[in-house]
Amino acid sequence: MSAEELAPLRAELGGLLPDGFNELDDPQALLLTQALRRARERRASGLDESVEDALTLVPALTREPVRRMLFR
């Protein structure tokens, strides 16, 4: 595959591709790129849920100020 065809995968990984990734064909590279993107989205979603769950431990009147302090 050309470097241009692997650009979305390189962008998803955030840098250089590991050895052997140049041997992927188009469908394989696309599948891997989509799988990495979905995994990253699930992890971000899980992190957001965890933060919201943790904020339930903070007294209700102080949740918004605490949220603003933590997530400006």
Side-chain angles (χ1 to χ4, degrees):
M1 281 185 92
S2 71
E4 183 178 306
E5 293 168 327
L6 289 172
L9 183 55
R10 188 170 31 275
E12 196 61 41
L13 290 173
L16 297 175
L17 296 176
D19 293 337
F21 275 47
N22 291 332
E23 297 175 22
L24 295 173
D25 60 21
D26 285 341
Q28 291 171 326
L30 179 60
L31 183 65
L32 182 56
T33 302
Q34 291 170 342
L36 289 169
R37 190 170 294 134
R38 282 192 308 270
R40 182 166 289 140
E41 289 168 358
R42 277 193 312 271
R43 185 177 57 203
S45 175
L47 183 58
D48 290 343
E49 288 176 27
S50 296
V51 167
E52 289 303 318
D53 288 345
L55 284 173
T56 63
L57 300 173
V58 176
L61 293 175
T62 60
R63 281 186 199 146
E64 273 310 307
V66 168
R67 185 179 278 117
R68 282 193 300 266
M69 286 188 305
L70 294 175
F71 308 106
R72 287 185 179 198

